[in-house]
Amino acid sequence: MRCGAAVEELASDVMGELPTDAQREIVERVELVRSAPDAWLDVRDPGSVEEFREVFGARC
């Protein structure tokens, strides 16, 4: 199984275990990111790790 397929399956399993309100919030956030991808950090950029730490804290 490809890594992407395994991650997709895991995400689907996790979503299925969440309460309906949480599922709705996650879908809304995913749609927000999809609608404006340039507004978010590009994880393909090697320097993005430091940017994530600045935004989300050292535990990220």
Side-chain angles (χ1 to χ4, degrees):
M1 182 181 292
R2 290 187 357 210
C3 180
V7 170
E8 185 175 322
E9 184 177 335
L10 177 60
S12 177
D13 291 346
V14 170
M15 284 288 285
E17 294 180 15
L18 294 174
T20 304
D21 290 345
Q23 291 177 6
R24 188 176 309 114
E25 185 175 336
I26 290 170
V27 170
E28 289 172 2
R29 301 220 182 223
V30 168
E31 289 303 317
L32 178 66
V33 171
R34 288 180 55 183
S35 69
D38 294 337
W40 303 89
L41 299 172
D42 186 350
V43 297
R44 297 169 296 183
D45 177 11
S48 66
V49 171
E50 292 305 318
E51 292 179 59
F52 275 107
R53 285 191 179 134
E54 288 175 18
V55 173
F56 298 106
R59 294 184 351 164
C60 179

